[in-house]
Amino acid sequence: MSRPALLLAILTVLVVVPALGHAFVDAVYWIKDSDGNLIYMRDDQGNIIYGNILVGQRVVFDASKSQSYYGKVDRYWWDFDSDGTYDAKKSLPVMYHTFDRAGTYTVKLLAVDSSGPPGSADTYVKEVRVVEKLENPVALFFCQVTSASPSAVNVTLNASASRDPDGYIKYYRWDLDDDGTYDQEMFRRPLLNHTFDRNGYHLLTLSVEDWDGLKDGMQRILKVDGIGGQSVEQKMVNVTVVNKREVPVNVTIVVNNWDTVTARVVNTTTVAVPLNPEGKNDFYLTTSDGGEGWFITGDHTPEFKLLPDKIELVKSGGLPGFGLAAAVTALLAAIALGARRTIKI
């Protein structure tokens, strides 16, 4: 290449390419509350979503991290309603704004460096979620025994059915020994593998927290048996299942996430199950027509009713000092469960 041609190529890079913009101005903004906290969440794929912002909440759109190759960005134009018209034109990077209606807004920032050549600008566009009120997350998890030996029982705790109606779960915290202290904190990871090396009825606690800082909790009971060749104390009791649906139903009952009982219920059926004789027990019922229900109760002779739209624990009593402590959750999809022993009736 001749010297004049080389000089022309260099001049093109230094003058013409910068004039095209974008590569030399980088626009970006974050949203903060009045205390300076960032308002954002990550979806299940890790993508950043701006929200949740409450209707009427005064928030800060902060574009101070926008940069320019030529000097600095000195013009910030904002379009808050994606109508193609800039609602505000500022010389400073901070912009206060309040949304008066709930919805998903496409907010566009145009960052300009007026000291650069023509076209020294960049745009940054993000969706922003605005809600009337913040909704609490819902904690839900299942236990699956993956392997068992005389020395240890390996369990997968699956909290992927937990959900946040207006966003995503941020933290999954686990208390695995009922001491009131969380043993594991998982960031955006709903699965936890854990090994138990002690027989007993273990109370497991899950706490979930969403990106808005709201929390919910759930407890399950896990029976661990056979460690060291020893057996936990248990007693066989009768569980009654009453069918109020129009057709016979096959029912599966998982007791303390360990023993599984199956039965066909036409009208009323009584089945024998092994229970913890001195404490509460965990029951998870599924039906062949898609129904599900989860319960923890101190009643040692429980009765379950299969209603057309749900499963109910309708009888509570049993040992003194143990009242009903039940939560019922209807799920849309079946979740596979593991158990060491199956009893067919």
Side-chain angles (χ1 to χ4, degrees), residues 302-316:
E303 178 180 307
F304 299 98
K305 184 178 292 185
L306 309 181
L307 300 176
D309 59 342
K310 61 182 177 180
I311 302 174
E312 280 189 349
L313 174 61
V314 296
K315 182 174 179 292
S316 180

Side-chain angles (χ1 to χ4, degrees), residues 18-59:
L20 298 178
H22 293 289
F24 294 87
V25 176
D26 183 23
V28 66
Y29 67 81
W30 288 91
I31 304 176
K32 301 178 181 179
D33 63 16
S34 57
D35 295 322
N37 300 309
L38 294 175
I39 302 177
Y40 77 102
M41 65 184 79
R42 290 186 182 271
D43 64 16
D44 294 334
Q45 288 71 45
N47 301 311
I48 291 178
I49 300 172
Y50 285 170
N52 289 307
I53 298 172
L54 290 170
V55 171
Q57 179 183 6
R58 190 169 185 254
V59 295

Side-chain angles (χ1 to χ4, degrees), residues 74-215:
D74 56 2
R75 297 179 185 176
Y76 303 86
W77 294 8
W78 299 92
D79 179 5
F80 291 104
D81 52 14
S82 64
D83 63 353
T85 301
Y86 289 104
D87 306 295
K89 299 178 180 180
K90 301 291 183 178
S91 60
L92 297 177
V94 174
M95 177 71 193
Y96 293 90
H97 188 72
T98 301
F99 294 93
D100 57 7
R101 292 190 305 274
T104 300
Y105 294 81
T106 301
V107 178
K108 177 180 178 181
L109 164 67
L110 173 66
V112 181
D113 182 354
S114 60
S115 67
S120 300
D122 186 28
T123 57
Y124 186 76
V125 181
K126 292 289 289 185
E127 286 190 349
V128 177
R129 293 185 181 181
V130 180
V131 298
E132 290 284 352
K133 64 177 182 178
L134 301 178
E135 297 191 54
N136 289 319
V138 178
L140 182 62
F141 75 97
F142 293 88
C143 307
Q144 181 176 359
V145 177
T146 56
S147 65
S149 70
S151 60
V153 171
N154 296 310
V155 177
T156 295
L157 305 178
N158 186 346
S160 59
S162 299
R163 59 186 178 86
D164 184 27
D166 59 0
Y168 301 89
I169 304 297
K170 184 178 183 181
Y171 292 114
Y172 300 83
R173 299 183 177 97
W174 301 92
D175 178 3
L176 305 174
D177 52 13
D178 193 28
D179 65 352
T181 301
Y182 293 112
D183 306 292
Q184 295 282 346
E185 180 180 271
M186 314 292 284
F187 176 63
R188 297 178 50 239
R189 290 185 295 162
L191 298 181
L192 175 66
N193 295 316
H194 188 71
T195 299
F196 292 88
D197 58 6
R198 180 174 56 86
N199 289 330
Y201 296 90
H202 300 269
L203 182 64
L204 313 178
T205 301
L206 165 68
S207 174
V208 298
E209 180 179 343
D210 66 12
W211 292 83
D212 299 315
L214 301 180
K215 301 176 182 179

